[in-house]
Amino acid sequence: MRARTILVITTAVFVICAIIGVITKNSFIEFDLDESYVGIFPESLMDSTTEMILDEAENYNIVCIEAIKEAEVGNYGLRQEVRVVKTFNTDKLKVGDVIQVAPGNTMLYANSGTETDEDVLPKESDSLGVNFCFVNTMTVGDKYLAFLTDQILTHEKLYTTAMLTISPLFSYSETQSTPLTVDEDADMGSVTKYKYAKDNEFFGGSEECIDKFYKLKETLLETYPL
């Protein structure tokens, strides 16, 4: 039942984002991140997502990590190098480990139609987006609470955040986030350009949604203090 709930919510969010084409792992494309599109999370899904995260937390590797490099964006989506500084619930990671972290549903997507040829990349004129899972990248030097899956790429020490609709990655620093407005010209669902979201910790579409993000953050940081 829980797995079905996760699937339903995740599917709903993907519909909102209107992901039409996915760039293959064997290809690489460079683009201006500021001009790419990111999804905006709806307040209507916040309560059920919060409940799911609180219920499922102990099923994941729970650690405090410090960002040591800026996030990189490529054909694989987002990745960022971090150092483990504290562990809460894990037998996979230890303090001092340096790993790569990516959002659980990381990918690039484009409004390039319904191409199925794996060798076809979006055209330069296509609108590109990055799936942040509604939480921004980490600021170098800051510490974050993270729920991580087990390692998925041994040679790169790559871990993804738990697939709980939003990326369970919360800064221990005080941050501010403002509601984001849907770009009606994007024709890609509930999205906006990253340049309008990059100063946010969370990508919510209303004051109520943003408030719920921060209430969830407060609850988790009290449970797993630095």
Side-chain angles (χ1 to χ4, degrees):
M1 185 68 180
R2 177 64 60 185
R4 183 178 300 174
T5 301
I6 294 173
L7 178 61
V8 169
I9 294 176
T10 302
T11 302
V13 172
F14 280 145
V15 170
I16 291 169
C17 289
I19 298 175
I20 299 173
V22 178
I23 296 175
T24 66
K25 293 183 179 180
N26 294 324
S27 307
F28 187 87
I29 185 167
E30 294 182 356
F31 62 98
D32 185 350
L33 183 58
D34 277 359
E35 293 299 317
S36 70
Y37 289 97
V38 297
I40 300 175
F41 199 72
E43 192 275 334
S44 60
L45 290 178
M46 198 66 215
D47 289 345
S48 58
T49 300
T50 295
E51 180 182 359
M52 178 170 59
I53 290 174
L54 295 176
D55 287 348
E56 299 289 333
E58 294 296 323
N59 294 327
Y60 297 94
N61 299 293
I62 303 177
V63 293
C64 170
I65 54 179
E66 179 182 358
I68 58 179
K69 288 186 179 180
E70 297 286 348
E72 296 179 347
V73 185
N75 59 305
Y76 42 70
L78 288 167
R79 288 185 190 177
Q80 192 160 6
E81 189 169 296
V82 304
R83 180 182 293 107
V84 177
V85 297
K86 187 173 183 178
T87 62
F88 298 102
N89 181 58
T90 180
D91 59 1
K92 309 291 185 183
L93 293 163
K94 63 183 184 299
V95 173
D97 283 349
V98 175
I99 62 173
Q100 299 281 330
V101 170
N105 295 314
T106 188
M107 64 177 66
L108 300 186
Y109 55 94
N111 64 345
S112 54
T114 57
E115 297 281 5
T116 57
D117 187 340
E118 291 187 355
D119 294 326
V120 175
L121 285 175
K123 302 180 294 296
E124 290 184 4
S125 60
D126 286 336
S127 297
L128 293 177
V130 182
N131 189 0
F132 281 72
C133 296
F134 312 103
V135 178
N136 209 346
T137 58
M138 293 172 277
T139 300
V140 173
D142 283 0
K143 297 178 177 63
Y144 293 78
L145 176 67
F147 299 172
L148 304 178
T149 61
D150 289 344
Q151 187 169 327
I152 61 172
L153 288 179
T154 303
H155 64 289
E156 295 188 20
K157 295 184 178 179
L158 176 64
Y159 292 76
T160 65
T161 56
M163 294 185 186
L164 297 172
T165 308
I166 64 173
S167 186
L169 189 65
F170 303 92
S171 174
Y172 281 96
S173 301
E174 291 187 8
T175 66
Q176 293 184 339
S177 300
T178 57
L180 302 173
T181 302
V182 173
D183 186 336
E184 301 294 347
D185 296 326
D187 193 29
M188 297 176 74
S190 298
V191 298
T192 190
K193 288 188 175 181
Y194 180 65
K195 63 183 178 182
Y196 302 123
K198 65 181 180 180
D199 293 329
N200 281 18
E201 181 175 3
F202 306 116
F203 301 163
S206 67
E207 289 284 2
E208 292 79 6
C209 185
I210 294 293
D211 287 345
K212 289 180 179 182
F213 264 112
Y214 279 103
K215 287 179 181 177
L216 173 60
K217 171 180 172 174
E218 180 181 4
T219 298
L220 291 172
L221 296 191
E222 288 177 353
T223 304
Y224 306 103
L226 186 60

